[in-house]
PDB file of all heavy atoms in Angstrom:
ATOM      1  N   PRO A 157       9.117 -16.522  -7.015  1.00 97.00           N
ATOM      2  CA  PRO A 157       8.200 -16.169  -8.113  1.00 97.00           C
ATOM      3  C   PRO A 157       7.912 -14.673  -8.276  1.00 97.00           C
ATOM      4  O   PRO A 157       6.942 -14.323  -8.945  1.00 97.00           O
ATOM      5  CB  PRO A 157       6.930 -16.908  -7.704  1.00 97.00           C
ATOM      6  CG  PRO A 157       6.939 -16.837  -6.201  1.00 97.00           C
ATOM      7  CD  PRO A 157       8.389 -16.992  -5.823  1.00 97.00           C
ATOM      8  N   SER A 158       8.709 -13.796  -7.671  1.00 97.00           N
ATOM      9  CA  SER A 158       8.462 -12.363  -7.851  1.00 97.00           C
ATOM     10  C   SER A 158       8.449 -12.012  -9.334  1.00 97.00           C
ATOM     11  O   SER A 158       9.346 -12.413 -10.082  1.00 97.00           O
ATOM     12  CB  SER A 158       9.551 -11.547  -7.155  1.00 97.00           C
ATOM     13  OG  SER A 158       9.475 -10.183  -7.541  1.00 97.00           O
ATOM     14  N   PRO A 159       7.462 -11.238  -9.775  1.00 98.00           N
ATOM     15  CA  PRO A 159       7.446 -10.834 -11.186  1.00 98.00           C
ATOM     16  C   PRO A 159       8.634  -9.955 -11.557  1.00 98.00           C
ATOM     17  O   PRO A 159       8.985  -9.850 -12.732  1.00 98.00           O
ATOM     18  CB  PRO A 159       6.122 -10.074 -11.323  1.00 98.00           C
ATOM     19  CG  PRO A 159       5.723  -9.687  -9.943  1.00 98.00           C
ATOM     20  CD  PRO A 159       6.265 -10.740  -9.044  1.00 98.00           C
ATOM     21  N   VAL A 160       9.285  -9.353 -10.565  1.00 98.00           N
ATOM     22  CA  VAL A 160      10.386  -8.426 -10.851  1.00 98.00           C
ATOM     23  C   VAL A 160      11.519  -9.117 -11.598  1.00 98.00           C
ATOM     24  O   VAL A 160      12.094  -8.560 -12.533  1.00 98.00           O
ATOM     25  CB  VAL A 160      10.909  -7.787  -9.546  1.00 98.00           C
ATOM     26  CG1 VAL A 160      12.155  -6.934  -9.824  1.00 98.00           C
ATOM     27  CG2 VAL A 160       9.825  -6.947  -8.899  1.00 98.00           C
ATOM     28  N   ILE A 161      11.840 -10.349 -11.199  1.00 98.00           N
ATOM     29  CA  ILE A 161      12.964 -11.041 -11.837  1.00 98.00           C
ATOM     30  C   ILE A 161      12.635 -11.387 -13.293  1.00 98.00           C
ATOM     31  O   ILE A 161      13.500 -11.311 -14.166  1.00 98.00           O
ATOM     32  CB  ILE A 161      13.379 -12.287 -11.021  1.00 98.00           C
ATOM     33  CG1 ILE A 161      14.739 -12.813 -11.509  1.00 98.00           C
ATOM     34  CG2 ILE A 161      12.316 -13.377 -11.051  1.00 98.00           C
ATOM     35  CD1 ILE A 161      15.345 -13.872 -10.580  1.00 98.00           C
ATOM     36  N   PHE A 162      11.383 -11.703 -13.557  1.00 98.00           N
ATOM     37  CA  PHE A 162      10.958 -11.982 -14.935  1.00 98.00           C
ATOM     38  C   PHE A 162      10.922 -10.686 -15.755  1.00 98.00           C
ATOM     39  O   PHE A 162      11.313 -10.677 -16.928  1.00 98.00           O
ATOM     40  CB  PHE A 162       9.593 -12.651 -14.944  1.00 98.00           C
ATOM     41  CG  PHE A 162       9.591 -14.026 -14.327  1.00 98.00           C
ATOM     42  CD1 PHE A 162       9.151 -14.214 -13.027  1.00 98.00           C
ATOM     43  CD2 PHE A 162      10.033 -15.128 -15.039  1.00 98.00           C
ATOM     44  CE1 PHE A 162       9.148 -15.478 -12.450  1.00 98.00           C
ATOM     45  CE2 PHE A 162      10.039 -16.389 -14.474  1.00 98.00           C
ATOM     46  CZ  PHE A 162       9.601 -16.570 -13.175  1.00 98.00           C
ATOM     47  N   GLU A 163      10.456  -9.606 -15.138  1.00 98.00           N
ATOM     48  CA  GLU A 163      10.399  -8.323 -15.843  1.00 98.00           C
ATOM     49  C   GLU A 163      11.798  -7.834 -16.202  1.00 98.00           C
ATOM     50  O   GLU A 163      12.000  -7.213 -17.259  1.00 98.00           O
ATOM     51  CB  GLU A 163       9.667  -7.297 -14.971  1.00 98.00           C
ATOM     52  CG  GLU A 163       8.175  -7.589 -14.852  1.00 98.00           C
ATOM     53  CD  GLU A 163       7.515  -6.877 -13.679  1.00 98.00           C
ATOM     54  OE1 GLU A 163       8.237  -6.173 -12.924  1.00 98.00           O
ATOM     55  OE2 GLU A 163       6.287  -7.041 -13.507  1.00 98.00           O
ATOM     56  N   GLN A 164      12.770  -8.113 -15.344  1.00 98.00           N
ATOM     57  CA  GLN A 164      14.151  -7.757 -15.643  1.00 98.00           C
ATOM     58  C   GLN A 164      14.625  -8.483 -16.904  1.00 98.00           C
ATOM     59  O   GLN A 164      15.273  -7.893 -17.773  1.00 98.00           O
ATOM     60  CB  GLN A 164      15.042  -8.133 -14.460  1.00 98.00           C
ATOM     61  CG  GLN A 164      16.497  -7.796 -14.633  1.00 98.00           C
ATOM     62  CD  GLN A 164      16.758  -6.307 -14.564  1.00 98.00           C
ATOM     63  OE1 GLN A 164      17.308  -5.737 -15.496  1.00 98.00           O
ATOM     64  NE2 GLN A 164      16.367  -5.669 -13.481  1.00 98.00           N
TER      65      GLN A 164
END
Side-chain angles (χ1 to χ4, degrees):
S158 168
V160 174
I161 193 169
F162 294 100
E163 290 162 358
Q164 181 71 237

